[in-house]
Amino acid sequence: MNFLVLFATLGAGIGLSAGLAFNLRLAKALGTPLAATLVNFVVGASVLLCLWFFGLDGARPTSFPPVWMLLGGLFGATYVTLSLVTAARLGVGVSTVAVTLGQILGAMVITSAGWLGQIPQPPSWTAILSAVLLIGAVALLAKDRER
């Protein structure tokens, strides 16, 4: 089961890279990353609203969540916009690896500090090694892009 979840997550990562390439073209066509981000979120929200309306997840919210929980949407919009800006300047590969590095570093900080309901635990040596390797990957890809 864990292998299937990991495989699906890798597929989602491939989808993110493809989505970034699509959004990069959209930003060029619309003239700005902010417009492309807006279109991205409007289309995504429309699809999700339809899926929710037809009850495909089998649940309906019973109350409104605390406002601070909506910061995920702010972070999502920031992610898409900054990814587009980075991809336009350094390429989809550098942008994708840099985002992955940011996710690993963020996860280590959030988990080690016990923020957002996480059980505090120190970063493992494998997580630290992963971050170091990704720092090297970002540096190599960015250097290659400069040529």
Side-chain angles (χ1 to χ4, degrees), residues 68 105-123:
W68 69 266
L105 294 174
M108 285 194 304
V109 169
I110 290 168
T111 303
S112 66
W115 292 343
L116 303 172
Q118 299 301 304
I119 297 171
Q121 57 187 25

Side-chain angles (χ1 to χ4, degrees), residues 85-107:
V85 170
T86 303
R89 294 181 184 169
L90 298 175
V92 172
V94 177
S95 180
T96 301
V97 175
V99 164
T100 304
L101 171 60
Q103 289 175 317
I104 287 177
L105 294 174

Side-chain angles (χ1 to χ4, degrees), residues 9-90:
T9 303
L10 290 173
I14 292 169
L16 281 174
S17 294
L20 180 55
F22 282 117
N23 287 334
L24 193 55
R25 299 285 303 266
L26 182 61
K28 188 174 183 178
L30 296 175
T32 172
L34 287 176
T37 303
L38 178 62
V39 169
N40 177 297
F41 277 83
V42 167
V43 170
S46 299
V47 169
L48 292 173
L49 185 61
C50 289
L51 293 174
W52 179 72
F53 179 76
F54 290 113
L56 294 180
D57 66 350
R60 297 280 191 277
T62 57
S63 64
F64 197 77
V67 175
W68 69 266
M69 290 183 179
L70 303 179
L71 287 174
L74 174 65
F75 291 143
T78 303
Y79 156 74
V80 172
T81 303
L82 291 177
S83 293
L84 286 171
V85 170
T86 303
R89 294 181 184 169
L90 298 175

